Amino acid sequence: MLPGAVHNVSLVYAIVWAIDHYYGQSTSTALALVQFATSAGSRGYHNDLIDATLDRASGAGKIQFLLEDERMDMTENLDELPPPSGVTGRQSAIWFLDSLRAYIRLERYLLQPGSAYKRNGYYIIVYTGREAQPLETIKIMFRRLLNIYVLNVNVVLTRRGTVQMYTYYPYGPHRCQSSLPVYYGSFQGVPSTANFGLRRQLFPSKLTNMHGCELIAVTFEHRPYVRIDDDANSPNGRRLHGIEGMIFNSLAERMNFTINLVERQDKDRGQIMPNGSVTGILKMILEGEANITFVCFMYSKERADVMLPSISYTNFPIVLVIPGGGTMKPLERLMKPFGYIIWSCLIVSLLIGLSLIAVLQLMPVPALRELVLGRSNRLPCLGLWYSLLGGLALHTPRRNFSRYLLVMWLLQTLVLRAAYTGQLYLILQDAQVRTPLQSLAEVVAKGYEFYMLPALRGVFRDSLLSSNVRLLRSHEASLLRLRDEDDPGIAVPLLQPTVYEFDYLSGPTRRRLTVLPGALMTAPLTLYMRPHSYLKRRIDRLLMAMMSSGIIYRYRRIYLDRIERMAKRRSAEPQPLTIAQLSGIFFCLMVLQLLAGMVFVLERLALRHSRFRRALDVANRYVA
């Protein structure tokens, strides 16, 4: 026997009130009305309820409706199925059930591959069962709904002449993971009037305070994103630090849950193998061993299809670490302090000075020569070279014009000598090496093998040959090779803070990693939860609030300011120079010594031959 007409009308108006006051205001997607009936009578009753609801709610035009039943056809194209993580799909529906067996059918539909629903959405169950103790059935439904992460669900039924609503709170002052039915309220007032409805919001907030209940977080130390230190006051003796560690600590404080920290010793984030099996942290999340994970996880479609991602709370540039090139040759070090433009300007200045001196020496106008070169300046070329190399001006001019020329030349040589010696010292300390590669195309043309994490494989799938890519769990060994070897033949793409942290840990005396100019792309970071996790909505709202208030930026600067400064700072303490580093200077000295020996032999020969002596005197006079 079906319920009386007055109860039927009250139930219809309760459904209409829920549509008008929540679904019609919070979403623009179509609201699905689905019935799971186990008898012909229940099916007819459900149809009457749906028809009456549509007749009263569709006229307002606030929302579109989608009518379905349990026998709907699933698409045969597997590529069009929603991913099992629940990242896409419908997030609202009203389900009509008449028994526990009908609920089992609903649960089977929610769990089957390709289900169109996100289990962390907001749903109403209209229960029309006729058993004497419907709360026992609701208790079983709530327990099974909690196990599949359907948290925001209310059951509406007619009981004792009124339309009542029940829900469950998994977290309370003295309970965790509880699924006991809780009376939430009843619809009061006269149906079809404005005062009819529920005197509170339709869906209560169930994760505002988790009352210290435990969440299992799996991660590992990866600075500066995650740092794990010993702490006697923490539940398991370990406490999180780092950029993401501080963010998660803030979430735990705001939501009031206890962190059960699980450290993954092999640092395997996990990947999907060709045979369909999963490994590492990914396996722990899918098998229910952990609730959430974070450790510099870049957002990727492959991960988002199997784990539920949060919104991206920060991003970092991806740079390409390349071989720094071999150390400079001794003579190359002497030429490196200045570029081609400065060397060209210096040579032009010398040529102009020498040419002017030569012209003035050959001109039969002594007054002009004394005006420019000064009186009694018999060796102007020697004075030019002497002042260039840092010596004193041997013949100070007495005329203002020549004094102005001398001051201008001394100022130029002073600045050039100071810049040259300072830069030469840094180069002799091996602080600079050649970086000939300037673009990704040059790196690919070199035939370097790319060592990268599995998450980056999809990013570079179209730009790199698969034969030149090698996937690694960790990149520490590769970075050591790039730092210590001149040309290991590899390149490693990774986040820029990782480069700063590696250089910081290497110390001020070790070589820095060489990075390709310009970032390859920007990678958003996210944390991942179990598929269809009900934690996502609450965590996303808190992350957006932390971003808008600048808290996440503050955490970034706490850990990045120090390592950026230390990574870019050069060694402050001088290191002893080796003979190999100074071999270029020694070579120049040997050449000059050879020239001096040749001049000495010529001078000895000039003592025996008068003509040769006169020729040598002329050469000494004009060369000087």
Side-chain angles (χ1 to χ4, degrees):
M1 180 177 178
L2 296 177
V6 62
H7 297 158
N8 191 345
V9 171
S10 299
L11 186 57
V12 168
Y13 275 99
I15 300 173
V16 172
W17 183 92
I19 295 174
D20 291 340
H21 289 78
Y22 180 78
Y23 292 116
Q25 299 177 0
S26 64
T27 179
S28 60
T29 59
L31 176 63
L33 304 179
V34 191
Q35 59 169 313
F36 294 83
T38 57
S39 65
S42 295
R43 181 173 297 277
Y45 181 45
H46 290 171
N47 288 333
D48 292 340
L49 289 176
I50 294 174
D51 290 341
T53 300
L54 293 177
D55 182 59
R56 289 164 176 78
S58 60
K62 294 183 177 181
I63 192 172
Q64 294 180 342
F65 294 95
L66 181 64
L67 301 182
E68 297 177 345
D69 60 25
E70 59 179 319
R71 294 191 297 270
M72 73 183 84
D73 296 331
M74 300 298 297
T75 177
E76 297 179 358
N77 188 359
L78 297 179
D79 295 334
E80 297 179 358
L81 297 180
S85 64
V87 69
T88 61
R90 300 193 202 118
Q91 57 184 359
S92 59
I94 298 178
W95 297 316
F96 293 82
L97 308 178
D98 65 347
S99 64
L100 182 59
R101 189 156 60 95
Y103 166 77
I104 299 299
R105 294 178 181 176
L106 169 62
E107 181 180 308
R108 188 183 303 119
Y109 171 65
L110 293 177
L111 295 177
Q112 67 181 343
S115 175
Y117 292 101
K118 300 168 64 173
R119 281 177 258 157
N120 53 12
Y122 294 86
Y123 304 102
I124 290 179
I125 295 178
V126 178
Y127 188 70
T128 59
R130 299 294 297 160
E131 60 266 37
Q133 297 292 333
L135 289 183
E136 292 299 324
T137 302
I138 296 175
K139 180 178 179 181
I140 297 175
M141 288 193 299
F142 281 166
R143 184 174 69 248
R144 298 176 70 98
L145 287 170
L146 177 62
N147 292 335
I148 62 174
Y149 290 99
V150 181
L151 180 67
N152 298 302
V153 58
N154 295 337
V155 175
V156 177
L157 73 162
T158 303
R159 192 162 182 253
R160 297 190 181 96
T162 60
V163 179
Q164 299 180 356
M165 180 175 289
Y166 290 85
T167 188
Y168 73 96
Y169 294 87
Y171 304 104
H174 305 290
R175 63 183 186 274
C176 296
Q177 296 294 314
S178 172
S179 60
L180 294 176
V182 176
Y183 172 75
Y184 186 62
S186 59
F187 288 84
Q188 302 175 2
V190 179
S192 74
T193 59
N195 63 347
F196 178 81
L198 195 66
R199 298 298 185 259
R200 56 201 310 184
Q201 60 181 359
L202 184 61
F203 291 98
S205 179
K206 301 179 180 181
L207 298 176
T208 302
N209 186 354
M210 297 179 65
H211 299 277
C213 293
E214 184 179 87
L215 281 185
I216 302 176
V218 56
T219 184
F220 56 82
E221 184 165 279
H222 182 39
R223 303 186 179 192
Y225 316 100
V226 177
R227 198 181 79 192
I228 304 176
D229 299 327
D230 294 329
D231 186 2
N233 297 325
S234 298
N236 53 359
R238 305 281 279 171
R239 182 165 179 81
L240 288 166
H241 296 279
I243 300 174
E244 293 183 292
M246 295 291 289
I247 292 175
F248 194 70
N249 286 338
S250 299
L251 292 176
E253 181 180 354
R254 188 66 180 85
M255 296 175 65
N256 191 21
F257 62 80
T258 302
I259 303 174
N260 183 359
L261 189 61
V262 177
E263 297 182 53
R264 185 81 187 189
Q265 300 300 327
D266 59 0
K267 299 185 177 181
D268 182 13
R269 291 180 173 85
Q271 55 183 315
I272 303 176
M273 307 304 291
N275 59 1
S277 61
V278 292
T279 62
I281 292 178
L282 175 58
K283 181 179 180 181
M284 297 179 65
I285 292 293
L286 296 183
E287 292 183 354
E289 300 179 26
N291 301 105
I292 196 168
T293 181
F294 53 93
V295 55
C296 189
F297 275 108
M298 291 174 285
Y299 181 88
S300 65
K301 184 178 183 302
E302 291 78 8
R303 287 198 184 115
D305 286 343
V306 292
M307 294 188 296
L308 187 61
S310 70
I311 63 170
S312 174
Y313 43 83
T314 188
N315 58 78
F316 294 106
I318 297 178
V319 296
L320 186 64
V321 183
I322 58 176
T327 55
M328 298 177 187
K329 298 178 181 179
L331 291 179
E332 193 177 4
R333 295 174 187 267
L334 298 180
M335 300 296 296
K336 183 66 176 178
F338 290 159
Y340 295 108
I341 297 179
I342 298 180
W343 280 119
S344 301
C345 293
L346 180 58
I347 293 174
V348 170
S349 299
L350 286 173
L351 291 177
I352 292 175
L354 294 174
S355 301
L356 181 61
I357 292 173
V359 171
L360 293 175
Q361 290 286 12
L362 296 176
M363 289 182 62
V365 186
L368 182 60
R369 183 169 58 251
E370 292 178 0
L371 175 64
V372 177
L373 302 180
R375 186 176 299 177
S376 301
N377 188 1
R378 296 181 299 174
L379 303 173
C381 290
L382 180 60
L384 181 69
W385 287 106
Y386 194 62
S387 59
L388 176 63
L389 299 177
L392 299 176
L394 299 179
H395 303 279
T396 56
R398 299 181 182 180
R399 304 295 294 270
N400 289 334
F401 179 73
S402 54
R403 287 174 180 173
Y404 172 77
L405 293 178
L406 178 61
V407 170
M408 184 176 62
W409 173 252
L410 292 178
L411 179 61
Q412 175 185 346
T413 56
L414 174 65
V415 175
L416 290 175
R417 281 198 311 273
Y420 182 84
T421 54
Q423 195 72 4
L424 180 62
Y425 174 77
L426 296 177
I427 293 175
L428 292 177
Q429 292 286 330
D430 270 342
Q432 293 184 5
V433 294
R434 291 181 298 179
T435 55
L437 304 180
Q438 299 295 324
S439 65
L440 180 61
E442 296 180 17
V443 178
V444 175
K446 281 281 188 179
Y448 287 158
E449 188 174 10
F450 288 80
Y451 285 18
M452 64 180 65
L453 299 175
L456 292 175
R457 182 66 186 92
V459 176
F460 298 97
R461 181 181 293 115
D462 298 332
S463 57
L464 301 177
L465 297 176
S466 59
S467 58
N468 287 340
V469 175
R470 181 177 177 183
L471 302 181
L472 301 174
R473 289 183 182 177
S474 177
H475 44 60
E476 280 78 5
S478 303
L479 296 183
L480 289 174
R481 290 183 58 190
L482 287 168
R483 184 193 66 184
D484 299 334
E485 300 179 20
D486 289 340
D487 191 5
I490 63 174
V492 179
L494 73 169
L495 298 181
Q496 194 170 52
T498 307
V499 179
Y500 291 149
E501 183 70 22
F502 184 85
D503 289 339
Y504 172 75
L505 296 177
S506 296
T509 60
R510 305 300 295 269
R511 290 173 56 181
R512 301 289 184 261
L513 294 175
T514 304
V515 177
L516 198 69
L520 302 179
M521 61 174 296
T522 300
L525 298 192
T526 182
L527 53 84
Y528 284 94
M529 295 157 277
R530 294 205 63 200
H532 299 277
S533 175
Y534 49 73
L535 300 171
K536 174 177 170 57
R537 293 180 180 274
R538 176 63 174 161
I539 288 178
D540 284 352
R541 286 196 294 268
L542 290 177
L543 288 176
M544 286 190 289
M546 293 169 65
M547 286 189 290
S548 61
S549 62
I551 295 177
I552 292 181
Y553 179 78
R554 169 67 175 168
Y555 292 157
R556 283 176 55 119
R557 299 324 316 164
I558 288 176
Y559 290 95
L560 293 184
D561 284 346
R562 180 184 59 175
I563 62 174
E564 286 179 0
R565 290 196 306 266
M566 295 301 294
K568 296 177 181 179
R569 186 193 305 174
R570 300 184 185 277
S571 175
E573 182 180 356
Q575 300 295 322
L577 300 177
T578 63
I579 296 178
Q581 294 171 336
L582 296 175
S583 58
I585 299 176
F586 290 149
F587 176 77
C588 294
L589 294 177
M590 291 177 60
V591 173
L592 293 176
Q593 187 67 35
L594 179 61
L595 291 176
M598 294 174 59
V599 172
F600 177 76
V601 172
L602 293 175
E603 290 288 351
R604 297 297 297 177
L605 292 175
L607 295 176
R608 301 178 182 180
H609 302 84
S610 58
R611 290 185 177 180
F612 187 71
R613 181 176 180 80
R614 286 194 298 269
L616 191 60
D617 289 341
V618 173
N620 288 335
R621 178 181 179 183
Y622 287 101
V623 169

